[in-house]
Amino acid sequence: MEKFFFKTENLGMRLLKDEDVVGNYYNWFNDGDVCAFNSHFRFPKTKDELVEYIHEINSSRSNLVFAIIEQRSQTHIGNISLQEINYIDRSAELAFLIGEKEYWGRGYAAEAAEVLIDHAFNRLNLHRLYCGTADNNIRMQKLAEKLGFIKEGIRRQALFKNGAYHDIIEYGKLREECIKCK
């Protein structure tokens, strides 16, 4: 049984491990459907590159990346992270990747995010979280709003994906807007 840094009713979250590369994790970054709305899938990823990434990310103090494990099946279904943690401005980017397609639409990203948002505001003492998504990623826009993020603006034609430029919609959430975090 895995030891988790965070646990919810359905999920456990732990740091990434080298062994994760052996599973489907490696395939997520080379899958056009999984990476349809993010900046991945531009260059092929090798297993060695992912192991190197895991080592770098686990030693970073400006990035926290957790594997999301569905507890019942013990399946690594995705990752959630706080990226670019800025301890002076007390802000960070919240990012998600649910790589196992059979787990899409089950609310697991929101369940994991609520725990990480609480950690960001109450343990790391951050003041602001932000996230962004492509203008055609309606599911992520709905998720950001469900989590209480406020639409703050648009970075026009900031993402080049599949032969076209897309706007990135930016969302933010302040600690004082977090009901559970007060």
Side-chain angles (χ1 to χ4, degrees):
M1 193 67 141
E2 298 237 30
K3 290 195 107 180
F4 297 116
F5 194 77
F6 301 116
K7 277 179 95 171
T8 68
E9 182 180 340
N10 300 301
L11 306 172
M13 288 167 275
R14 60 157 170 79
L15 293 177
L16 292 169
K17 303 187 290 191
D18 290 357
E19 300 84 59
D20 291 326
V21 174
V22 176
N24 282 340
Y25 178 55
Y26 164 72
N27 296 321
W28 301 344
F29 297 98
N30 297 306
D31 185 320
D33 293 334
V34 171
C35 298
F37 301 109
N38 61 39
S39 60
H40 301 300
F41 198 67
R42 292 182 173 163
F43 299 98
K45 298 281 189 242
T46 67
K47 290 182 180 181
D48 289 340
E49 288 173 322
L50 284 177
V51 168
E52 184 178 324
Y53 167 76
I54 289 170
H55 292 183
E56 288 173 14
I57 211 72
N58 284 344
S59 65
S60 171
R61 291 294 168 243
S62 60
N63 297 288
L64 278 174
V65 180
F66 294 98
I68 302 170
I69 310 298
E70 196 275 330
Q71 288 195 66
R72 190 175 37 76
S73 67
Q74 291 296 298
T75 301
H76 179 195
I77 65 169
N79 296 339
I80 187 167
S81 61
L82 292 173
Q83 302 178 114
E84 305 299 324
I85 301 170
N86 181 320
Y87 294 101
I88 295 171
D89 297 327
R90 295 176 40 218
S91 66
E93 178 181 12
L94 180 66
F96 313 84
L97 177 70
I98 303 297
E100 294 299 319
K101 296 174 190 175
E102 62 268 25
Y103 292 90
W104 287 2
R106 295 188 185 181
Y108 291 141
E111 186 174 332
E114 288 176 1
V115 172
L116 197 54
I117 290 167
D118 179 71
H119 182 72
F121 288 137
N122 289 320
R123 304 292 184 298
L124 299 179
N125 196 30
L126 297 182
H127 174 70
R128 180 178 183 276
L129 295 177
Y130 59 92
C131 62
T133 190
D135 56 5
N136 57 344
N137 189 351
I138 304 305
R139 288 173 54 185
M140 181 57 198
Q141 292 169 42
K142 288 180 179 179
L143 176 59
E145 291 168 5
K146 176 180 181 179
L147 293 169
F149 281 72
I150 306 296
K151 183 177 175 181
E152 295 181 328
I154 297 174
R155 285 191 286 146
R156 298 176 307 134
Q157 297 185 13
L159 176 66
F160 185 76
K161 196 76 174 182
N162 299 321
Y165 286 98
H166 294 274
D167 294 345
I168 295 179
I169 301 173
E170 296 287 349
Y171 292 88
K173 182 173 186 148
L174 303 177
R175 179 187 175 109
E176 63 226 30
E177 297 165 344
C178 183
I179 295 168
K180 291 182 180 178
C181 302
K182 293 182 181 178

